Amino acid sequence: MIYLELFLSFLQIGLFSIGGGYAAMPLIREQVVDLHGWLTMTQFGDIMTISEMTPGPIAINSATFVGTQVAGLPGAIVATLGCVMPSLVIVLALAFIYYRFKGLSIIRGILSGLRPAVVAMIASAGVSLILMAFWGEQSLPADLGAPDPIAMILFGAGLIVLKKQKINPICVMAGCGFLGLILYSVI
Amino acid sequence: MKPSFRKKLTLFTSTLKLSACTFGGGFVIIPLMRKRFVDQLHWIDDREMLDLVAIAQSSPGAIAVNASIIVGYHVAGVIGALISALGTVLPPLIIISVISLFYRAFRDSLFVGLIMKGMLAGVAAVICDVVLEMAIGIIKQKRMLPVMIMIGTFIANCFFKVNIAVIILCGGAVGAADMLFKNKKGKTGKQN
């Protein structure tokens, strides 16, 4: 029963990927390429690339892609459902606990310790994005001398517009995409 | 009060739109959600936003989906969580289903590649903007401990790639210990 297999596979991916998309990648590969052979390694590389070019979480994108390839649209829906199910159960339980007990001093203490840590983790994600945008690499490149000038201009302009105009971030992202297309094709 | 149909509809369309714009990794949904749910709709405040990111981050699954589920739960209970989960999952489901028909052409398209390159810089700017605002909020509390946690976590996560579960546990433990210590001091202070 292919639908059940898809569901259970992505249920495991959803359940064991803690900490975002890049943590999910090896899990997805294990299930989809090594264990079930639903995708070849090349196809797996393709879907990872496409995930970076389209919106949405890597795990959901992979679930949809694998599901479609293996069993059409119903397969995509079943795999996505499996992927989201653990989140739904666990996050709902935590949300319930949070809104019920957030007044307790011990919970307030835990949360006050977590807030600065969360800001730092988002900052860390921001640093990887800057490295990606300026140098095209995830980690600090050996040669810091050659950042992408167009990316730097777009980044600076975006930041200024966000600070001064209080504009919707979606507009900044779309604007940079549009300007990127023009600037990169002209220069 | 029962949340109105209108509110649920707004929840659905908001999560749908945000999810369709979450390029460049799950964290990008944070500034987008903040703009929509904190600044525009006033459904949650800034502290709740950080708390729900902490919960989303420490739970399994995608951050964007998890964060949406919590907002949905807060706005309209379990039904709200289901609505916002659906709203978040639909855009990637539809987009990838369509692209999977011609994914090689899409992957190799120069046109898409150039847009993505420009967009990446925009995404980086959006994340930096929200980090600056949030960090200033933490610094404005004028307390040493949160600032130290922030700097420590940044170094641990960015340079040493320390596991996120470890970071969450440490941050929570330090915060709890700090609160217990303060409570004790407060009590003895009253007795004197």
Side-chain angles (χ1 to χ4, degrees), chain B residues 135-168:
Chain B
I136 288 167
I138 300 279
I139 293 166
K140 271 191 181 154
Q141 294 176 5
K142 296 216 165 89
R143 289 190 58 225
M144 267 310 276
L145 190 69
V147 176
M148 278 163 58
I149 294 178
M150 190 160 70
I151 295 171
T153 306
F154 182 74
I155 294 170
N157 192 7
C158 198
F159 296 107
F160 297 103
K161 309 282 171 219
V162 175
N163 192 297
I164 284 167
V166 176
I167 290 175
I168 297 264

Side-chain angles (χ1 to χ4, degrees), chain A residues 76-148:
Chain A
I77 293 170
V78 167
T80 304
L81 209 62
C83 196
V84 180
M85 198 60 90
S87 285
L88 209 53
V89 174
I90 293 168
V91 175
L92 260 180
L94 287 175
F96 174 78
I97 293 169
Y98 168 69
Y99 281 109
R100 191 82 193 254
F101 299 110
K102 72 172 175 174
L104 289 181
S105 79
I106 184 80
I107 301 284
R108 284 215 317 270
I110 293 174
L111 289 170
S112 70
L114 284 181
R115 281 183 205 121
V118 165
V119 174
M121 283 191 274
I122 304 176
S124 174
V127 169
S128 342
L129 276 170
I130 290 179
L131 292 176
M132 232 9 229
F134 289 8
W135 288 281
E137 284 177 55
Q138 287 265 330
S139 48
L140 204 63
D143 176 22
L144 279 171
D148 181 342

Side-chain angles (χ1 to χ4, degrees), chain B residues 100-122:
Chain B
S100 69
L101 301 174
F102 55 92
Y103 72 95
R104 281 179 199 276
F106 179 82
R107 184 200 58 190
D108 299 331
S109 157
L110 189 65
F111 184 77
V112 179
L114 291 182
I115 293 180
M116 283 317 298
K117 234 173 135 182
M119 211 141 143
L120 194 60

Side-chain angles (χ1 to χ4, degrees), chain B residues 29-45:
Chain B
I29 202 147
I30 308 307
L32 305 187
M33 279 184 121
R34 189 164 172 265
K35 185 82 191 172
R36 184 75 182 137
F37 295 125
V38 180
D39 295 349
Q40 291 176 348
L41 293 170
H42 306 291
W43 284 354
I44 48 176
D45 61 34

